């Protein structure tokens, strides 16, 4: 049976400023989320027919299946096939929030960034500027990555983390403007079993035959 814990592999080189990690256990994000309605709460909303975009402002909260997004302003678009996409913006100095359950396991992907883009057609999430993403088992953080840009593909469950160009001034959530990753050990159930404890030694007993007395010759 497949382990409920997943194994994340390091694919990219840190020297290039790009970190890529893959989930190789077949436990995908909730596939039904893309077909669920997008429920939005906000202080105000505005629809622009010419641009085919609806903008919501003020303490925006989005739920779409297991997906939860929070921020200050949301722009929603829908194509002719009914695929929904949303871009969430944070207030100045703050970060927007995204969370989604992984299918078949009690695990979640969540993160923050100044801007979060969710593409319903490709099922890809982009965390832009001061980006941070975590994998949680229940309520316990298992892995955490930080950078300037994080792109997470819900279909393949592969994501990339980029520190961004320092010349462009793209801020990273990690200290020093670099990529940072904290990865927990994987598959403890497959670790070698501890060596069995040695059997207890038999108690010492006196011999029933005593040596003869006298000097040795």
């Amino acid at each position: 049976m497949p382990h409920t814990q997943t194994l994340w592999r390091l694919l990219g080189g840190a020297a290039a400023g790009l970190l890529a990690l893959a989930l190789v256990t077949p436990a995908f994000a909730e596939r039904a989320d893309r077909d669920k309605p997008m429920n939005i709460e906000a202080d105000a909303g505005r629809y622009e027919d010419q641009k085919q975009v609806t903008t919501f402002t003020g303490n925006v909260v989005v739920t779409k299946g297991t997906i939860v997004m929070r921020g200050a302003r949301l722009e929603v678009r829908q194509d002719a096939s009914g695929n929904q996409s949303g871009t969430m913006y944070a207030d100045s100095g703050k970060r927007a929030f995204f969370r989604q359950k992984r299918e078949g396991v009690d695990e979640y992907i969540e993160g923050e960034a100044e801007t979060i883009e969710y593409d319903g057609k490709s099922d890809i999430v982009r965390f832009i500027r001061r980006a941070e993403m975590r994998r949680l088992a229940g309520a316990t953080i298992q892995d955490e990555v930080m950078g300037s840009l994080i792109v997470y593909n819900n279909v393949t469950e592969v994501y990339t983390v980029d520190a961004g160009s320092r010349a462009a001034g793209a801020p990273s959530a990690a200290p020093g403007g670099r990529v940072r990753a904290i990865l927990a050990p994987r598959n403890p159930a497959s670790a070698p079993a501890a060596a069995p404890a040695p059997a207890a030694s038999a108690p010492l007993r006196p011999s029933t035959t005593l040596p003869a007395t006298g000097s040795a010759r």
Side-chain angles (χ1 to χ4, degrees):
M1 296 180 62
H3 298 295
T4 55
Q5 300 269 350
T6 56
L7 177 64
W8 296 47
R9 288 183 177 175
L10 186 66
L11 301 176
L18 180 66
L19 183 69
L21 297 157
L23 305 173
V24 297
T25 297
F28 299 100
E30 289 284 353
R31 297 300 178 84
D33 285 345
R34 69 175 72 185
D35 299 322
K36 297 292 179 64
M38 182 179 287
N39 302 294
I40 303 168
E41 296 181 9
D43 293 339
R46 177 184 178 183
Y47 174 70
E48 297 178 68
D49 186 67
Q50 186 175 1
K51 296 181 179 180
Q52 292 292 296
V53 59
T54 306
T55 303
F56 298 89
T57 56
N59 299 314
V60 183
V61 178
V62 178
T63 57
K64 182 177 172 65
T66 69
I67 294 174
V68 177
M69 297 177 69
R70 295 193 295 266
R73 180 167 61 91
L74 173 71
E75 294 181 357
V76 179
R77 292 176 172 82
Q78 182 167 303
D79 63 20
S81 300
N83 298 302
Q84 297 172 326
S85 299
T87 302
M88 183 73 80
Y89 301 91
D91 275 325
S92 178
K94 297 183 179 181
R95 295 187 295 178
F97 174 84
F98 176 92
R99 179 182 175 94
Q100 183 177 24
K101 184 181 182 298
R102 300 187 62 227
E103 188 170 336
V105 291
D106 185 24
E107 293 187 358
Y108 299 83
I109 296 295
E110 69 175 30
E112 293 97 23
E114 293 181 13
T115 302
I116 300 176
E117 297 177 351
Y118 170 74
D119 188 330
K121 183 176 181 179
S122 63
D123 224 356
I124 290 176
V125 184
R126 293 166 57 89
F127 300 87
I128 304 169
R129 298 179 68 88
R130 290 200 295 141
E132 181 175 353
M133 193 174 78
R134 299 172 292 277
R135 181 179 68 87
L136 295 90
T140 304
I141 296 176
Q142 297 296 308
D143 301 303
E144 184 174 16
V145 291
M146 302 177 186
S148 174
L149 171 65
I150 300 174
V151 180
Y152 175 58
N153 189 319
N154 284 326
V155 177
T156 62
E157 293 209 319
V158 173
Y159 67 81
T160 59
V161 188
D162 195 348
S165 171
R166 294 187 181 183
S172 170
R178 304 184 69 194
V179 165
R180 179 181 179 184
I182 303 172
L183 308 178
R186 287 294 174 275
N187 296 327
S190 63
S201 301
L204 295 176
R205 293 178 295 176
S207 173
T208 56
T209 303
L210 297 178
T213 58
S215 302
R217 298 189 182 273

